[in-house]
Structures are given as structure tokens and as C-alpha cells.
Amino acid sequence: MVIKDIKTGIIRIPLVTPFKTALRTVEHVEDLIVCVETDSGETGYGEAPATAVITGDTLGSVQTAIKDFITPAIRGMDIMDMDGIQRKLHSCILKNTSAKAAVDMALYDLYAKSLKTPLYKLLGGNAREIETDLTISVNDIPQMVSDSLEAVKKGFSILKIKVGKEGFQDVERIAAIREAVGKEVRIRVDANQGWNAKDAVRIISRMEDMGLDIDLVEQPVKAHDFEGMKYVTSRTFTRILADESVFSPEDAIRICAERAADMMNIKLMKTGGIYEALKICSIAEIYQVECMVGCMLESKIAVSAAAHLAAAKHIITAVDLDGPSLCKIDPYEGGPLYDGAKIVMNDTPGIGICRVPVTFS
Ligand code: MG
């Protein structure tokens, strides 16, 4: 099964409500879809969003990387030579992790299809079902309380609250949400780099003193502020999760070896796909640092690729794959079942998406 061509197209899906973090506000998923074609007529699908504020990638840059660099580098290679293809994919252009991720997942889709097995089983997994949290966007307090209650009503028992815009007012937000949803709901807090190290320690300590019982705090300080991450991690009891601070396996080694965070958030768009994400899982296993698998504003192709990874690895103990839940419609056919907080894997070979309503060129 030889790679013949890589085609791309755009999918646009409205969100149920605008997605707001300390970094941006977005109303649509607008992602590049990748279709890798083989000489035997098989197709593998991948997807990449343009998350310029985090990865630096735009739809145009993703498309150019695929058309001008990745396609010529791997065209003509046999899909069974996965290791060889991956070496080419990751050496033909620097960075451009979203483009690499989209192609990587399409390759794994094809690889698993050719072996007639669902991807999570190929990756060594046996978990039929995983549970995701749901993101609550940054808004005024009454809105966030009502969004949180709505999420709990829909069956989500883990909420990921976006904060980081207003320092100590963030504590009031979390306190109001905790009071409204009660003790049983797990609350995660994502500051998206919105605090400095000293404020982060004050804010997190305050939440600890108030007994708000926070599951973890994600990326309190700037991505490049490695010392700041270490400062916060060593001075608080709450688990600190590195997100924007960890893209590559090299980042993961440094985070783990220097204990700069208690957990790491693996996202395919940061690692450049599953192949590199597996390396981070191995590093995390060695250091016994638990991982979250997360997503950007992605629809069901990319999120499902991440779900297969999550279902395959025990070191992944937290799942933040709410992309499809945030979308107003599901335009695809096939793939894992997204049933509220539950993501149910099935035995369809590959990632499982079989119909993609996109015009490829
Ligand atoms: Mg995050």
C-alpha cells in the first residue's frame, strides 16, 4: 500500500457557544482536513486547526507545509514502513506541528486499516470507554455558573474552567462554581498562561485555603517561563499541569527531570502527531508523571485520533477531548461515539471516520 497523494480541504462547523480563553475568542471550528490516498484506493483522514496563538500555525501555513514539503517527502513510500515515513515527516520541515499532526493521524488511520484493527488496539490499548471533562469558557460569574450547571445536567462530572484574565477575581469565579455544582464534581482550572508566578502561588494557595478542592491547575504562567512553572509547582499542593510549556519529547524530558510540573498535557497539534506523542508517554512512564490528553478546537477526526491514544495508554489519566461536544453538529459518519462525558471506542479499523463531507483538492 503506497502513498499516492495527499489532498486537503476545509471544514467549518459552528460552535454551540463562543469559545473564550485568556488568549482568544472563537465562534467556529474551521479546520484543514487531510486525505492521504494510496495506490490501492484506501484513504486515511487527518485534521488540523489553525491555533496561531498557541502553535503559530495558520490554515495557510498548514496547507503549504503539507503541499510543498510533506507530500513530496513521503509520496511513494509504503504505508507499512511507518517508522521510515515518520522519520521523513519529522525531518522534511522544522516545527509546523499541526501540519505534521494532520498527516501523522491520516497515516496511522491507514496503517491500522491495513492491519484491520482499530487504532487504539494497534497502540496496545484495551479501554473501551474513556471519560472527558467539558470546558467552561471565561465569562462573567453568573454566566460561568449557569454554563457549569448546564454541563453537570448533561452528565459531565469533570469541568475545566478557563480563567487567567483577572487574577484574584478568578478565585471568586471558582468559588461561585464550586458552591453551585457541589462537592462531587471535579473542577480543573486552566489559566492559559494568564498569571505570573507569584500571583499564581497566591491564587492557588487561596483556593487551597478556601477548600475549593481543585483537581489540577493548568499552565499558570507563560509557556517559556520554565522557572516560573517550577516556582509554582514547588510552592503549592494542587497538581500543576504543563500545557503550552510542553510541545516536544525534549520539553517533556526537561519538565519531568526538573519536576517543573506534576502532570503534562499531550496534544497532537503540539507534538506533531501520535508518533511523537508516544515518545512523551514513554518519558512520562519512566518518571511516573501522569498525563492529560487534550485538543485544540478540533472536530471529530483529530479528537478521535487523540481518543485512540488515550484509550491505549495507562499513563494518560485525564482526558480533555470535548471538541465534538462544543460543536453544534457532527458532519461525519463513523468514529468513536461521543455521548456526553463518555467517549465509547468501537471495533471499526483505523480511527473509524468513514464519511468526510469535504471537497478535497
Ligand atoms: Mg490548556
Side-chain angles (χ1 to χ4, degrees), residues 184-251:
E184 299 303 312
V185 173
R186 278 164 80 178
I187 293 181
R188 296 171 177 161
V189 174
D190 189 354
N192 281 109
Q193 315 179 50
W195 303 326
N196 65 44
K198 284 192 174 176
D199 280 349
V201 171
R202 284 194 202 102
I203 291 166
I204 295 165
S205 303
R206 179 94 184 101
M207 292 195 291
E208 288 169 354
D209 293 344
M210 290 167 77
L212 297 184
D213 191 19
I214 302 307
D215 187 37
L216 56 88
V217 171
E218 189 168 333
Q219 197 65 43
V221 301
K222 290 269 181 277
H224 59 80
D225 188 6
F226 191 84
E227 292 304 321
M229 284 295 283
K230 253 171 97 166
Y231 181 93
V232 178
T233 301
S234 63
R235 284 169 176 79
T236 52
F237 296 102
T238 308
R239 296 188 297 176
I240 304 300
L241 169 70
D243 181 6
E244 289 94 325
S245 287
V246 52
F247 271 55
S248 64
E250 292 81 359
D251 296 335

Coordinates of all heavy atoms in Angstrom, one line a residue, residues 184-251:
E184 N -19.3 16.9 44.6 CA -19.0 15.7 43.8 C -18.3 16.0 42.5 O -17.6 15.1 41.9 CB -20.3 14.9 43.5 CG -21.0 14.5 44.8 CD -20.1 13.6 45.7 OE1 -19.5 12.7 45.1 OE2 -20.0 13.9 46.9
V185 N -18.5 17.2 41.9 CA -18.0 17.5 40.6 C -16.5 17.8 40.7 O -16.1 18.6 41.6 CB -18.7 18.7 40.0 CG1 -18.1 19.1 38.7 CG2 -20.2 18.3 39.7
R186 N -15.7 17.2 39.8 CA -14.2 17.6 39.8 C -14.0 18.9 39.0 O -14.5 19.0 37.9 CB -13.4 16.4 39.2 CG -13.2 15.3 40.3 CD -12.7 14.1 39.6 NE -11.3 14.1 39.2 CZ -10.7 13.1 38.6 NH1 -11.4 12.0 38.3 NH2 -9.4 13.2 38.4
I187 N -13.2 19.8 39.6 CA -13.0 21.1 38.9 C -11.5 21.2 38.6 O -10.7 21.1 39.5 CB -13.4 22.2 39.8 CG1 -15.0 22.2 40.0 CG2 -13.0 23.6 39.2 CD1 -15.5 23.4 40.9
R188 N -11.3 21.4 37.3 CA -9.9 21.7 36.8 C -9.9 23.1 36.4 O -10.9 23.7 35.9 CB -9.6 20.8 35.6 CG -9.5 19.3 36.0 CD -9.4 18.4 34.8 NE -9.3 17.0 35.3 CZ -9.6 15.9 34.5 NH1 -9.9 16.1 33.3 NH2 -9.4 14.7 35.0
V189 N -8.8 23.8 36.6 CA -8.7 25.2 36.3 C -7.6 25.4 35.3 O -6.4 24.9 35.4 CB -8.3 26.0 37.6 CG1 -8.0 27.5 37.3 CG2 -9.5 25.9 38.6
D190 N -7.9 26.1 34.2 CA -6.9 26.3 33.1 C -6.6 27.8 33.0 O -7.5 28.6 32.6 CB -7.3 25.8 31.8 CG -6.2 25.8 30.7 OD1 -5.1 26.4 31.0 OD2 -6.4 25.3 29.6
A191 N -5.4 28.3 33.4 CA -5.1 29.7 33.4 C -4.6 30.2 32.0 O -4.4 31.4 31.8 CB -4.1 30.1 34.5
N192 N -4.3 29.2 31.1 CA -3.8 29.6 29.8 C -2.7 30.7 29.9 O -2.8 31.7 29.1 CB -4.9 30.0 28.9 CG -5.7 28.8 28.3 OD1 -6.8 28.5 28.7 ND2 -5.0 28.0 27.4
Q193 N -1.7 30.5 30.7 CA -0.6 31.4 30.9 C -0.9 32.8 31.4 O -0.1 33.7 31.3 CB 0.1 31.6 29.5 CG 0.3 30.4 28.7 CD 1.0 30.7 27.3 OE1 2.0 31.3 27.3 NE2 0.4 30.1 26.3
G194 N -2.1 32.9 32.0 CA -2.6 34.2 32.4 C -2.1 34.9 33.6 O -2.4 36.0 33.9
W195 N -1.3 34.1 34.5 CA -0.8 34.7 35.7 C 0.7 34.8 35.7 O 1.3 34.1 34.9 CB -1.2 33.8 36.9 CG -2.7 33.5 37.1 CD1 -3.7 34.4 36.8 CD2 -3.3 32.3 37.5 NE1 -4.9 33.8 37.0 CE2 -4.7 32.6 37.5 CE3 -2.9 31.1 38.0 CZ2 -5.7 31.6 37.9 CZ3 -3.8 30.2 38.4 CH2 -5.2 30.4 38.4
N196 N 1.3 35.6 36.6 CA 2.7 35.5 36.8 C 3.0 34.5 37.9 O 2.0 34.1 38.6 CB 3.4 36.8 37.0 CG 3.0 37.5 38.2 OD1 2.9 36.9 39.3 ND2 2.7 38.8 38.2
A197 N 4.2 34.1 38.1 CA 4.5 33.0 39.1 C 4.0 33.3 40.5 O 3.4 32.5 41.2 CB 6.0 32.7 39.1
K198 N 4.3 34.6 41.0 CA 4.0 34.9 42.4 C 2.5 35.0 42.6 O 1.9 34.5 43.5 CB 4.7 36.2 42.8 CG 6.1 36.0 43.0 CD 6.8 37.2 43.7 CE 8.2 36.8 44.1 NZ 9.0 37.9 44.7
D199 N 1.8 35.6 41.6 CA 0.3 35.7 41.7 C -0.3 34.3 41.6 O -1.2 34.0 42.3 CB -0.2 36.5 40.5 CG -0.1 38.0 40.8 OD1 0.2 38.4 42.0 OD2 -0.3 38.9 39.9
A200 N 0.3 33.4 40.8 CA -0.2 32.1 40.7 C -0.2 31.4 42.0 O -1.1 30.7 42.4 CB 0.6 31.3 39.6
V201 N 1.0 31.5 42.7 CA 1.1 30.9 44.0 C 0.1 31.4 45.0 O -0.6 30.7 45.7 CB 2.5 31.0 44.6 CG1 2.6 30.5 46.0 CG2 3.5 30.3 43.7
R202 N -0.1 32.8 45.0 CA -1.1 33.4 45.9 C -2.5 32.9 45.5 O -3.3 32.6 46.4 CB -1.1 34.9 45.7 CG 0.1 35.6 46.4 CD -0.1 37.1 46.5 NE 1.2 37.7 46.7 CZ 1.9 38.3 45.7 NH1 1.4 38.5 44.5 NH2 3.1 38.9 45.9
I203 N -2.8 32.9 44.3 CA -4.2 32.5 43.8 C -4.5 31.0 44.2 O -5.5 30.7 44.7 CB -4.4 32.7 42.3 CG1 -4.4 34.2 42.0 CG2 -5.7 32.1 41.8 CD1 -4.2 34.6 40.5
I204 N -3.5 30.2 43.9 CA -3.7 28.7 44.1 C -3.8 28.5 45.6 O -4.6 27.7 46.1 CB -2.6 27.9 43.4 CG1 -2.8 28.1 41.9 CG2 -2.8 26.4 43.8 CD1 -1.5 27.6 41.1
S205 N -2.9 29.1 46.4 CA -2.9 28.9 47.8 C -4.2 29.4 48.4 O -4.8 28.8 49.3 CB -1.8 29.7 48.5 OG -0.5 29.3 47.9
R206 N -4.8 30.5 47.9 CA -6.0 31.0 48.4 C -7.1 29.9 48.1 O -8.0 29.7 49.0 CB -6.4 32.3 47.7 CG -7.7 32.9 48.0 CD -7.5 34.0 49.1 NE -8.8 34.5 49.6 CZ -9.5 34.1 50.7 NH1 -8.9 33.2 51.5 NH2 -10.6 34.6 51.0
M207 N -7.1 29.4 46.9 CA -8.1 28.3 46.6 C -8.0 27.1 47.5 O -9.0 26.5 47.9 CB -8.0 27.9 45.1 CG -8.4 29.1 44.1 SD -8.7 28.5 42.4 CE -7.1 28.1 41.9
E208 N -6.7 26.8 47.8 CA -6.5 25.7 48.8 C -7.0 26.0 50.1 O -7.7 25.2 50.8 CB -5.0 25.4 48.8 CG -4.5 24.7 47.6 CD -2.9 24.7 47.5 OE1 -2.3 25.2 48.4 OE2 -2.4 24.0 46.5
D209 N -6.7 27.3 50.6 CA -7.2 27.7 52.0 C -8.7 27.7 52.1 O -9.3 27.4 53.1 CB -6.7 29.1 52.3 CG -5.1 29.1 52.5 OD1 -4.6 28.0 52.6 OD2 -4.5 30.2 52.4
M210 N -9.4 28.0 50.9 CA -10.8 28.1 50.9 C -11.5 26.7 50.8 O -12.7 26.5 50.8 CB -11.3 29.0 49.8 CG -11.0 30.5 50.0 SD -11.3 31.4 48.5 CE -13.1 31.5 48.4
G211 N -10.6 25.7 50.6 CA -11.1 24.3 50.5 C -11.9 24.1 49.2 O -12.9 23.3 49.2
L212 N -11.5 24.7 48.1 CA -12.2 24.6 46.8 C -12.0 23.3 46.1 O -12.6 23.0 45.1 CB -11.9 25.8 45.9 CG -12.3 27.2 46.4 CD1 -12.0 28.3 45.4 CD2 -13.8 27.2 46.8
D213 N -11.0 22.5 46.6 CA -10.8 21.2 46.1 C -10.6 21.1 44.6 O -11.4 20.5 43.9 CB -11.9 20.2 46.6 CG -11.6 18.8 46.3 OD1 -10.4 18.4 46.2 OD2 -12.5 17.9 46.3
I214 N -9.5 21.7 44.2 CA -9.2 21.8 42.7 C -8.4 20.6 42.3 O -7.4 20.3 42.9 CB -8.4 23.1 42.4 CG1 -9.2 24.4 42.9 CG2 -8.1 23.2 40.9 CD1 -10.6 24.4 42.3
D215 N -8.8 19.9 41.3 CA -8.2 18.7 40.8 C -6.8 19.0 40.3 O -5.9 18.3 40.6 CB -9.1 18.1 39.7 CG -8.6 16.8 39.2 OD1 -8.2 16.0 40.1 OD2 -8.7 16.5 38.0
L216 N -6.7 20.1 39.5 CA -5.4 20.5 39.0 C -5.5 21.9 38.4 O -6.6 22.4 38.1 CB -4.9 19.5 37.9 CG -5.8 19.3 36.7 CD1 -5.6 20.3 35.5 CD2 -5.6 17.9 36.1
V217 N -4.3 22.5 38.3 CA -4.3 23.9 37.7 C -3.4 23.8 36.5 O -2.2 23.3 36.6 CB -3.8 25.0 38.6 CG1 -3.5 26.3 37.9 CG2 -4.8 25.2 39.8
E218 N -3.9 24.2 35.3 CA -3.2 24.0 34.1 C -2.5 25.3 33.7 O -3.1 26.4 33.7 CB -4.2 23.6 33.0 CG -3.6 23.2 31.7 CD -4.7 22.5 30.8 OE1 -5.6 21.9 31.3 OE2 -4.5 22.6 29.6
Q219 N -1.3 25.2 33.3 CA -0.4 26.3 32.7 C -0.7 27.7 33.4 O -1.2 28.6 32.7 CB -0.7 26.4 31.2 CG 0.4 27.2 30.5 CD 1.8 26.5 30.5 OE1 1.9 25.3 30.3 NE2 2.8 27.3 30.8
P220 N -0.3 27.8 34.6 CA -0.5 29.1 35.3 C 0.3 30.2 34.7 O -0.2 31.4 34.7 CB 0.0 28.8 36.8 CG 0.8 27.5 36.7 CD 0.3 26.8 35.5
V221 N 1.5 30.0 34.2 CA 2.4 31.0 33.8 C 2.7 30.9 32.3 O 2.4 29.9 31.7 CB 3.7 31.1 34.6 CG1 3.4 31.3 36.1 CG2 4.5 29.8 34.4
K222 N 3.5 31.9 31.8 CA 3.8 31.9 30.3 C 4.5 30.6 29.9 O 5.3 30.0 30.7 CB 4.8 33.0 30.0 CG 4.1 34.4 30.1 CD 3.5 34.8 28.8 CE 2.9 36.2 28.8 NZ 1.4 36.1 29.3
A223 N 4.3 30.2 28.7 CA 4.8 28.9 28.1 C 6.3 28.8 28.3 O 6.9 27.8 28.7 CB 4.5 28.8 26.7
H224 N 7.0 29.9 28.1 CA 8.5 29.9 28.1 C 9.1 30.1 29.5 O 10.3 30.0 29.8 CB 9.1 31.0 27.2 CG 8.6 32.4 27.6 ND1 9.2 33.1 28.6 CD2 7.6 33.2 27.1 CE1 8.6 34.2 28.8 NE2 7.6 34.3 27.9
D225 N 8.2 30.4 30.5 CA 8.6 30.7 31.9 C 8.8 29.4 32.6 O 8.0 29.0 33.5 CB 7.6 31.6 32.6 CG 8.1 32.1 33.9 OD1 9.3 31.8 34.3 OD2 7.4 32.7 34.6
F226 N 9.9 28.6 32.3 CA 10.1 27.3 32.9 C 10.4 27.5 34.4 O 9.9 26.7 35.2 CB 11.4 26.7 32.2 CG 11.6 25.3 32.5 CD1 10.9 24.3 31.8 CD2 12.5 25.0 33.5 CE1 11.1 23.0 32.1 CE2 12.7 23.6 33.8 CZ 12.0 22.6 33.1
E227 N 11.2 28.5 34.7 CA 11.5 28.7 36.2 C 10.2 29.0 36.9 O 10.0 28.6 38.1 CB 12.5 29.8 36.3 CG 13.9 29.5 35.8 CD 14.5 28.2 36.5 OE1 14.2 28.0 37.7 OE2 15.1 27.4 35.8
G228 N 9.3 29.8 36.3 CA 8.0 30.1 36.9 C 7.2 28.9 37.1 O 6.5 28.7 38.2
M229 N 7.1 28.0 36.2 CA 6.4 26.7 36.4 C 7.0 25.9 37.6 O 6.2 25.4 38.4 CB 6.5 25.8 35.1 CG 5.7 26.2 33.9 SD 3.9 26.1 34.2 CE 3.6 24.4 34.1
K230 N 8.3 25.9 37.7 CA 8.9 25.2 38.8 C 8.6 25.9 40.1 O 8.3 25.2 41.1 CB 10.5 25.3 38.6 CG 11.1 24.0 38.2 CD 12.5 24.1 37.8 CE 13.5 23.8 38.9 NZ 14.8 23.7 38.4
Y231 N 8.6 27.2 40.1 CA 8.3 28.0 41.3 C 6.9 27.7 41.8 O 6.7 27.4 43.0 CB 8.4 29.5 40.9 CG 8.2 30.5 42.0 CD1 9.3 30.9 42.8 CD2 6.9 30.9 42.3 CE1 9.1 31.9 43.8 CE2 6.7 31.8 43.3 CZ 7.8 32.3 44.1 OH 7.6 33.2 45.1
V232 N 5.9 27.7 40.9 CA 4.6 27.4 41.3 C 4.4 26.0 41.7 O 3.8 25.7 42.8 CB 3.6 27.7 40.1 CG1 2.1 27.4 40.5 CG2 3.7 29.2 39.6
T233 N 5.0 25.0 41.0 CA 4.8 23.6 41.3 C 5.4 23.3 42.7 O 4.8 22.5 43.5 CB 5.5 22.7 40.2 OG1 4.9 23.0 39.0 CG2 5.4 21.3 40.5
S234 N 6.5 23.9 43.0 CA 7.2 23.6 44.3 C 6.6 24.3 45.5 O 6.8 24.0 46.6 CB 8.7 23.9 44.2 OG 8.8 25.3 44.0
R235 N 5.7 25.3 45.2 CA 5.2 26.1 46.4 C 3.7 25.9 46.6 O 3.1 26.6 47.4 CB 5.5 27.6 46.1 CG 6.9 27.9 46.5 CD 7.2 29.3 46.0 NE 8.6 29.7 46.4 CZ 9.7 29.3 45.7 NH1 9.6 28.5 44.7 NH2 10.9 29.7 46.1
T236 N 3.1 25.0 45.8 CA 1.6 24.7 46.0 C 1.4 23.2 46.2 O 2.2 22.4 45.8 CB 0.8 25.2 44.8 OG1 1.4 24.7 43.6 CG2 0.8 26.7 44.7
F237 N 0.2 22.9 46.7 CA -0.1 21.4 46.9 C -0.9 20.9 45.7 O -0.9 19.7 45.4 CB -0.9 21.2 48.2 CG -0.1 21.6 49.4 CD1 -0.3 22.8 50.1 CD2 0.9 20.7 49.9 CE1 0.5 23.1 51.2 CE2 1.7 21.0 51.0 CZ 1.5 22.2 51.7
T238 N -1.7 21.8 45.1 CA -2.5 21.4 44.0 C -1.6 20.9 42.8 O -0.5 21.5 42.6 CB -3.3 22.6 43.5 OG1 -4.0 23.2 44.7 CG2 -4.3 22.3 42.4
R239 N -2.1 19.9 42.1 CA -1.3 19.4 40.9 C -1.2 20.5 39.8 O -2.2 21.1 39.5 CB -1.9 18.2 40.4 CG -1.9 17.0 41.3 CD -2.4 15.7 40.7 NE -3.8 15.8 40.2 CZ -4.3 14.8 39.5 NH1 -3.7 13.7 39.2 NH2 -5.6 15.0 39.1
I240 N 0.0 20.7 39.4 CA 0.2 21.7 38.3 C 0.5 20.9 37.0 O 1.3 20.0 36.9 CB 1.4 22.6 38.6 CG1 1.2 23.3 39.9 CG2 1.6 23.7 37.4 CD1 0.0 24.2 40.1
L241 N -0.3 21.3 36.0 CA -0.3 20.6 34.7 C 0.4 21.5 33.6 O -0.1 22.6 33.4 CB -1.7 20.2 34.3 CG -2.0 19.7 32.8 CD1 -1.4 18.3 32.7 CD2 -3.5 19.7 32.5
A242 N 1.4 21.0 33.0 CA 2.1 21.8 31.9 C 1.3 21.6 30.6 O 1.2 20.4 30.2 CB 3.5 21.4 31.8
D243 N 0.9 22.7 30.0 CA 0.3 22.5 28.6 C 1.1 23.2 27.6 O 2.0 22.6 26.9 CB -1.2 23.1 28.7 CG -1.9 22.9 27.3 OD1 -1.3 22.3 26.4 OD2 -3.0 23.4 27.2
E244 N 1.0 24.6 27.5 CA 1.8 25.3 26.5 C 3.3 25.2 26.7 O 4.1 25.4 25.8 CB 1.3 26.8 26.4 CG -0.1 27.0 25.9 CD -1.1 27.1 26.9 OE1 -1.0 26.4 27.9 OE2 -2.1 27.9 26.8
S245 N 3.7 24.8 27.9 CA 5.2 24.6 28.2 C 5.7 23.3 27.6 O 6.9 23.1 27.6 CB 5.4 24.6 29.7 OG 5.3 25.9 30.2
V246 N 4.9 22.4 27.2 CA 5.4 21.1 26.6 C 4.8 20.8 25.3 O 3.6 20.5 25.2 CB 5.2 19.9 27.7 CG1 3.8 19.8 28.2 CG2 5.7 18.6 27.1
F247 N 5.7 20.9 24.3 CA 5.3 20.5 22.9 C 6.0 19.2 22.5 O 5.3 18.3 22.1 CB 5.8 21.6 21.9 CG 4.8 22.7 21.7 CD1 4.3 23.5 22.7 CD2 4.5 23.1 20.4 CE1 3.4 24.5 22.5 CE2 3.5 24.1 20.1 CZ 3.0 24.8 21.2
S248 N 7.3 19.2 22.7 CA 8.1 18.0 22.2 C 8.5 17.1 23.3 O 8.4 17.4 24.5 CB 9.3 18.6 21.5 OG 10.1 19.2 22.6
P249 N 9.0 15.9 22.9 CA 9.6 15.0 23.8 C 10.7 15.6 24.6 O 10.9 15.4 25.8 CB 10.1 13.8 23.0 CG 9.2 13.8 21.8 CD 8.9 15.3 21.5
E250 N 11.5 16.5 24.0 CA 12.6 17.2 24.7 C 12.1 18.0 25.8 O 12.6 18.1 26.9 CB 13.4 18.0 23.7 CG 14.2 17.2 22.6 CD 13.4 16.8 21.4 OE1 12.1 17.0 21.4 OE2 13.9 16.1 20.5
D251 N 11.0 18.8 25.5 CA 10.3 19.6 26.6 C 9.9 18.7 27.7 O 10.0 19.0 28.9 CB 9.0 20.3 26.0 CG 9.3 21.3 24.9 OD1 10.5 21.8 24.9 OD2 8.4 21.6 24.1

